[in-house]
Each structure stands twice: as C-alpha cells, then as structure tokens.
Amino acid sequence: MKNKLGSINKRYSLIAALQAGAAYDYAILKSRRQFKHEASDKKAYEPGTLGLSMVSKEIQKEYGGIMNRAGRKLLAKTRREARPRFYNI
C-alpha cells in the first residue's frame, strides 16, 4: 500500500497504535493519581492527659473504682437490683 509517506508496513502501524494507546492510558493514570497528605500540625495525643470523663467519675463514685459495663451488669444481676445508667451530659 502506497501513500505520500511511501510504503507503510502494517506491523509498524500496529506497534505505533499500541504504543499510542499505552501512552494515553499512562497519561490518564498519572493525571488521576492521589497525592500524599501533608503532615498534621496538631500535637500528638499523650495518654493520660485528658483526665477522667464525667461518666467515669460517676462510675468511680458508685462502685469505688472503674468497672467495665459487663462487670457492672453482672454485679447488678447477682444483687438482683436495677443497673444504674450513666450518661455523659
């Protein structure tokens, strides 16, 4: 097949088309990439700096120490009394 560029081989045309498609895909991939987030300016949390919450203070006052929910539920069940509810207001 002849044109103004001379004889064009179908094999080279296919290779050029595949490379063009790969280049297009690569350009799309690069244009849609997500960049890393910048480092935060906030000071890192140090455990124990917040102190007791209102709920934990009430639990400590009621039971004499910090107890988890399952322990409080089991204690109320063995004593056959209503379990007090603690709300953070």
Side-chain angles (χ1 to χ4, degrees), residues 43-51:
K43 185 178 161 189
Y45 168 70
E46 296 173 10
T49 56
L50 291 179

Side-chain angles (χ1 to χ4, degrees), residues 4-55:
K4 58 183 172 180
L5 296 175
S7 179
I8 296 177
N9 193 344
K10 288 184 180 180
R11 179 173 176 243
Y12 294 128
S13 304
L14 177 64
I15 291 172
L18 292 175
Q19 287 177 346
Y24 177 78
D25 291 341
Y26 183 74
I28 293 294
L29 177 86
K30 283 296 189 178
S31 70
R32 293 181 180 166
R33 91 176 262 258
Q34 291 183 343
F35 294 95
K36 291 183 178 178
H37 296 287
E38 295 180 4
S40 177
D41 295 336
K42 290 171 34 175
K43 185 178 161 189
Y45 168 70
E46 296 173 10
T49 56
L50 291 179
L52 295 175
S53 67
M54 295 297 293
V55 173

